């Protein structure tokens, strides 16, 4: 009788690794996580853009437009009318098909209503007009005047008020005023200057000495309001 031998196969025990056992599931999880992070970044970017775009319109609520402000005008029915306009010193703006519109001292809502009413005859129905504040006028300190007022009295080639550039010296100004008449006492020229307190100081200049190099004072810079007096020569002077 033949004997039959039965062998039992032993299953090898292996340590399981979730990542190795389900590689497809792991890759899908990483993709989903990355997609979620990308979506969050996009949402954050959109929010920042929206906040930036509505910052000035929100600030414009209750704000009264002033000269020098910039307004952004949008007409939904006609994009060719979309533009940015500067509020003129008289407080008005110019818009095609609407003409001159008062903007100074008014809100953007009031201006929107006026523009819609003025543009209505050009459309089948009243257009949708939106006005927002593009930029505020930032007041700047006035620049110093480039010229000053100097007054010439007496025997000058061109007496009266002159406007030399700030920083002009008295010797340069003698040439600018056209020189002297033949009766001028060029050795006794006076410069009368009044300070802010109202005190007047008189300076004397000898033009002839300046020409031959022995005199001083030719580099004196004129100030606004200076008065130059050129007397007439005396007999035998």
């Amino acid at each position: 009788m033949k004997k039959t031998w039965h062998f039992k196969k032993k299953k090898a025990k292996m340590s399981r690794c979730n990542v190795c056992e389900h590689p497809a599931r792991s890759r899908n999880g990483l993709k989903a996580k990355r997609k979620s992070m990308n979506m969050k970044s996009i949402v954050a970017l959109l929010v920042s853009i929206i906040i930036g775009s509505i910052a000035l319109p929100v600030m414009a609520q209750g704000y009264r437009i002033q000269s020098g402000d910039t307004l952004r005008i949008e007409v939904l029915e006609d994009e060719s009318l979309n533009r940015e306009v500067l509020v003129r010193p008289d407080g008005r703006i110019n818009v095609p098909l609407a003409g001159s519109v008062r903007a100074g001292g008014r809100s953007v809502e009031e201006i929107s209503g006026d523009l819609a009413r003025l543009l209505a005859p050009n459309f089948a129905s009243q257009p949708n007009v939106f006005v927002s504040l593009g930029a505020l006028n930032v007041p700047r300190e006035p620049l110093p005047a480039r010229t000053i007022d100097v007054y010439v009295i007496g025997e000058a080639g061109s007496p009266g008020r002159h406007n030399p550039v700030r920083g002009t010296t008295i010797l340069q100004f003698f040439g600018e005023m056209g020189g002297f008449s033949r009766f001028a006492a060029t050795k006794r020229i006076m410069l009368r200057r009044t300070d802010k307190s109202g005190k007047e100081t008189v300076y004397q200049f000898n033009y002839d000495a300046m020409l031959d190099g022995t005199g001083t004072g030719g580099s004196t810079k004129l100030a606004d309001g200076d008065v130059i007096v050129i007397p007439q020569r005396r007999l035998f002077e």
Side-chain angles (χ1 to χ4, degrees):
M1 180 180 290
K2 295 182 180 180
K3 293 183 178 181
T4 303
W5 301 90
H6 298 280
F7 297 92
K8 292 182 179 180
K9 295 181 180 180
K10 294 183 178 180
K11 294 182 179 179
K13 293 182 179 180
M14 297 179 62
S15 58
R16 294 184 178 180
C17 176
N18 293 333
V19 175
C20 298
E21 185 177 359
H22 302 289
R25 186 183 301 172
S26 176
R27 285 196 297 268
N28 291 337
L30 289 174
K31 289 181 179 179
K33 187 175 181 180
R34 289 174 181 171
K35 186 176 180 180
S36 176
M37 292 177 65
N38 290 337
M39 287 300 296
K40 290 181 179 179
S41 301
I42 294 173
V43 170
L45 179 61
L46 289 174
V47 169
S48 63
I49 293 174
I50 293 172
I51 291 175
S53 65
I54 66 174
L56 277 179
V58 168
M59 186 175 61
Q61 293 178 3
Y63 174 76
R64 296 293 171 177
I65 303 302
Q66 300 179 8
S67 299
D69 288 346
T70 300
L71 299 179
R72 186 180 296 112
I73 300 173
E74 297 181 23
V75 182
L76 293 184
E77 288 76 8
D78 188 351
E79 292 183 355
S80 66
L81 295 175
N82 295 352
R83 65 197 59 238
E84 288 190 352
V85 294
L86 181 69
V87 182
R88 302 195 309 253
D90 62 359
R92 305 186 74 85
I93 58 174
N94 283 330
V95 179
L97 302 181
S100 179
V101 180
R102 185 173 66 86
R106 309 180 72 195
S107 67
V108 292
E109 292 81 10
E110 291 172 333
I111 301 171
S112 298
D114 268 9
L115 287 176
R117 178 176 53 80
L118 293 170
L119 292 173
N122 301 282
F123 296 87
S125 60
Q126 185 164 301
N128 294 286
V129 181
F130 299 94
V131 178
S132 58
L133 185 60
L136 291 172
N137 177 31
V138 180
R140 298 180 180 179
E141 294 184 2
L143 296 175
R146 292 179 55 84
T147 60
I148 57 176
D149 291 333
V150 176
Y151 303 85
V152 181
I153 300 174
E155 301 299 321
S158 178
R161 186 179 69 178
H162 293 260
N163 302 107
V165 176
R166 188 177 297 275
T168 300
T169 66
I170 191 169
L171 188 58
Q172 293 170 334
F173 183 71
F174 287 153
E176 185 175 331
M177 71 180 190
F180 307 93
S181 74
R182 62 192 183 95
F183 301 105
T186 54
K187 295 181 179 180
R188 296 186 289 109
I189 299 174
M190 291 180 290
L191 170 63
R192 309 176 76 97
R193 177 173 295 173
T194 304
D195 60 20
K196 294 181 179 179
S197 65
K199 180 182 178 181
E200 183 184 60
T201 305
V202 180
Y203 305 90
Q204 189 140 354
F205 297 92
N206 186 333
Y207 176 71
D208 295 346
M210 290 181 191
L211 291 182
D212 60 26
T214 60
T216 59
S219 60
T220 301
K221 292 183 179 180
L222 297 175
D224 188 45
D226 280 353
V227 178
I228 296 176
V229 180
I230 305 169
Q232 188 175 12
R233 280 195 319 229
R234 302 189 187 99
L235 189 61
F236 304 116
E237 183 178 359

